[in-house]
Each structure stands twice: as structure tokens, then as C-alpha cells.
Amino acid sequence: MKKILIVEDSSAMRSLLISTIEALEGFEIVEAANGFEALRLLPRERVDLVITDINMPDINGLELIRYVRNSAIYKSIPLFIISTESSERDLAKGLALGANEYLIKPFDPADLQKLLLKYLG
């Protein structure tokens, strides 16, 4: 079973992501409410993919991506950004830091499911 780490400060958005992922079979979900929590979870959980928001308290999503991509242990984990930040500059910055995919809120759950199957299916 593949494990996905969701890093999102909005509990409503985490619930939407979880229900979207749970509609597929074969995925286990771990949740973090911010980047700081994600950094505490990563050494304890072997995750196969990270989905993160950008705008979060403490450590934001871009800082989390920078950490993951600079880590010898986690640098190859697929990483998706799901954010309200939708400018070309935001997309370019997220992808340049090493995100594999960038979805803009509100997103189509089917698009997320297709990407999950592409990377983990």
C-alpha cells in the first residue's frame, strides 16, 4: 500500500483531499497541518508521495519542498503542490524548487486521481 503525506493547514481541504484519495484503492494517508508537522513526520513515516499547500503557518510549502529536495533520503519522493497561488510566477517557482505537479485550488478531484495513479499506480 502506497502512503501519501498531505500537508495542508485547512482541515476542510485535508478532508477533501482524503476523500478524493480514498475513492481510489491502495493508498494510505498521513496528515500534517503545516510544514513543521510534516518535517516531524517524515523521519517516522515512509511516504511515497507528498501533497502540500504553499501558504501555511510556521514552515510553508515552499520551504518544505526545499527541505525535501535537499535531503538525500527524500529527494526522489514525488511532490505535488495544491494551492490558491495561481500566477505563472508561483507555478514556475514551485516547479523550479522541485515539485512534480502543481494543481490550483479549486482543483478537479479527477485530475488529482489521475496524477496519483500516474506517479504511484
Side-chain angles (χ1 to χ4, degrees), residues 36-47 67 73-74:
F36 182 73
E37 246 184 75
L39 292 179
R40 288 181 40 216
L41 278 170
L42 280 170
R44 293 185 274 155
E45 301 279 349
R46 187 192 65 76
V47 300
Y67 171 81
I73 299 170
Y74 312 115

Side-chain angles (χ1 to χ4, degrees), residues 92-118:
K93 187 173 184 178
L95 296 172
L97 283 173
N100 297 86
E101 301 290 344
Y102 197 118
L103 296 171
I104 297 167
K105 296 176 186 173
F107 64 95
D108 182 342
D111 291 340
L112 176 60
Q113 291 173 335
K114 286 178 194 170
L115 290 172
L116 291 172
L117 293 174
K118 174 183 169 185

Side-chain angles (χ1 to χ4, degrees), residues 71-110:
S71 164
I73 299 170
Y74 312 115
K75 67 181 177 186
S76 62
I77 295 174
L79 202 151
F80 299 174
I81 293 172
I82 297 182
S83 176
T84 55
E85 303 298 329
S86 60
S87 73
E88 287 296 322
R89 184 173 152 243
D90 294 322
L91 272 72
K93 187 173 184 178
L95 296 172
L97 283 173
N100 297 86
E101 301 290 344
Y102 197 118
L103 296 171
I104 297 167
K105 296 176 186 173
F107 64 95
D108 182 342

Side-chain angles (χ1 to χ4, degrees), residues 7-11 14 32-39 52-64 105:
V7 188
E8 169 63 61
D9 60 331
S10 163
S11 61
R14 280 198 315 271
N34 56 53
F36 182 73
E37 246 184 75
L39 292 179
T52 186
D53 188 9
I54 290 178
N55 297 319
M56 296 181 290
D58 299 325
I59 297 171
N60 69 38
L62 297 176
E63 293 166 321
L64 175 65
K105 296 176 186 173

